[in-house]
Amino acid sequence: MPNYLSNLSIDIGTEPPDYNHTVQLCDDNVGSTSNSSAGTDDVLFNFIAYGVLLNIIGVFGIIGNIISMIILSRPQMRSSINYLLIGLARCDTVLIITSILLFGLPSIYWATGYLFFYNWRIHPIIAPVVYPVAMISQTVSVYLTLVVTLERFVAVCQPLRARSLCTCGRARLYMIIVVIFSILYNITRFWEVAIEQCLHPHNVLVYRVKSSALRNNMVYINVYIHWMYLVFMYGLPFAALAWFNSRIYSQVRRANKERQRLSRLQRKEIGLATMLLCVVVVFVLCNLVALASNFLEAFRFVTIDALVETGNLMVTINSSVNFVIYVIFGEKFKRLFLKLFFPHGLRFCGNTFGGRDSPEQTHDDSFMSINGDHHNSIRPLHRINTSYVKSGKCSIRSHQCGRKAQSARIQRSSPSVPCVYYPARDSRGSWEHTSTTNF
């Protein structure tokens, strides 16, 4: 989120001014920064980008991320990849909230004059803390996306190693490492903010945020703000994402050519890899504008406000759209979403989708991998069709049928254990049935 400090002006008090020392006048040009059309256009663009689009998209993104966390945390969805996606949804939610607090709500005041209390009472108090938290969340989001890609690379391209690497315990460890690294990398952000006094036009002594001495240090700017930010936030992650996803894409294309020979579970794994490829593509596209803005600021010493605002908006969009991708590509995710939030089905154009009585809700054709203290094993969860139980072979001996159906229901309703995808080859060189990642 570049150039936050240079554009922020806040007030944290309403006490009478102290005339024993000289204070600067602070501007409060609500509605228009100047009489020129250029100034009016800047305010209008800022209001549309931040006050309208960022706030609306951010609210829907928060709702979508909360729904994603609820669905991915269900027992039948437990897996290493879903554990990482839950962490990604959490940090994306924090990033959206900080974007609304730093950019969305203040832009409404500067364009319309509304939210005076927030702009001059709440915003100044939280800004010095929210800004570093926003940077930490952005770093976590970048590297969790990289970890998700690495997990898929191992599962698809190195399946024999997935048994030991793609577990919920490992996923938890990776997440902790990413969070610690993000905090340490952005720890200096807490010392980039300084507050100075100024006199509000309403004859009130106020405060505004400015760059600290550390933030104005040229060595700090060149080394940390420019070079390290470009390398650690764009260079290394983007290069790694490009390499890993190119390998995954090649494997997906190779699998699609032999799609008729793949089992149903293998096709589901290819679909999951395709979904995460889409997540990465959206991530890269949404961060290109911010990359261009930082590149211009670092090497051309040019700051284009419209480009900065567009970059911040695109970063917020990236944190808000993953739920839509999950619904489009994740069949099991979509079924659980309809079952949890539309139990009677969702009617659209005269058709009903989902619902508790939908046949697709009564089947679980996934394979589970048990992540215990010993070696992982695979066992199938057999499909149970209630109509077959009532009128099929079991109808001859109803009491035996009842015991079988009850046993099957107990097996299906038991909490799912963490599963790992690792396609293996049998003695003839073909892929055996593998455990699904439950998406």
Side-chain angles (χ1 to χ4, degrees), residues 1-76:
M1 294 184 180
N3 295 329
Y4 167 74
L5 294 175
S6 60
N7 297 328
L8 180 64
S9 178
I10 61 177
D11 172 12
I12 60 174
T14 58
E15 67 275 7
D18 182 8
Y19 295 103
N20 293 329
H21 64 278
T22 302
V23 295
Q24 297 180 350
L25 293 176
C26 57
D27 296 330
D28 189 13
N29 298 325
V30 176
S32 177
T33 58
S34 66
N35 294 327
S36 64
S37 59
T40 304
D41 292 341
D42 291 341
V43 172
L44 179 61
F45 183 86
N46 179 272
F47 174 70
I48 294 176
Y50 286 166
V52 178
L53 296 178
L54 188 144
N55 286 329
I56 294 176
I57 295 173
V59 170
F60 282 102
I62 292 173
I63 297 174
N65 286 334
I66 292 175
I67 295 175
S68 297
M69 287 185 282
I70 293 174
I71 295 176
L72 294 174
S73 61
R74 303 290 293 180
Q76 58 267 45

Side-chain angles (χ1 to χ4, degrees), residues 325-345:
I325 299 175
Y326 300 158
V327 170
I328 294 175
F329 291 94
E331 291 297 330
K332 190 170 185 179
F333 183 95
K334 180 166 55 180
R335 291 199 301 267
L336 282 176
F337 169 69
L338 294 174
K339 182 178 180 180
L340 291 175
F341 296 95
F342 300 95
H344 301 293

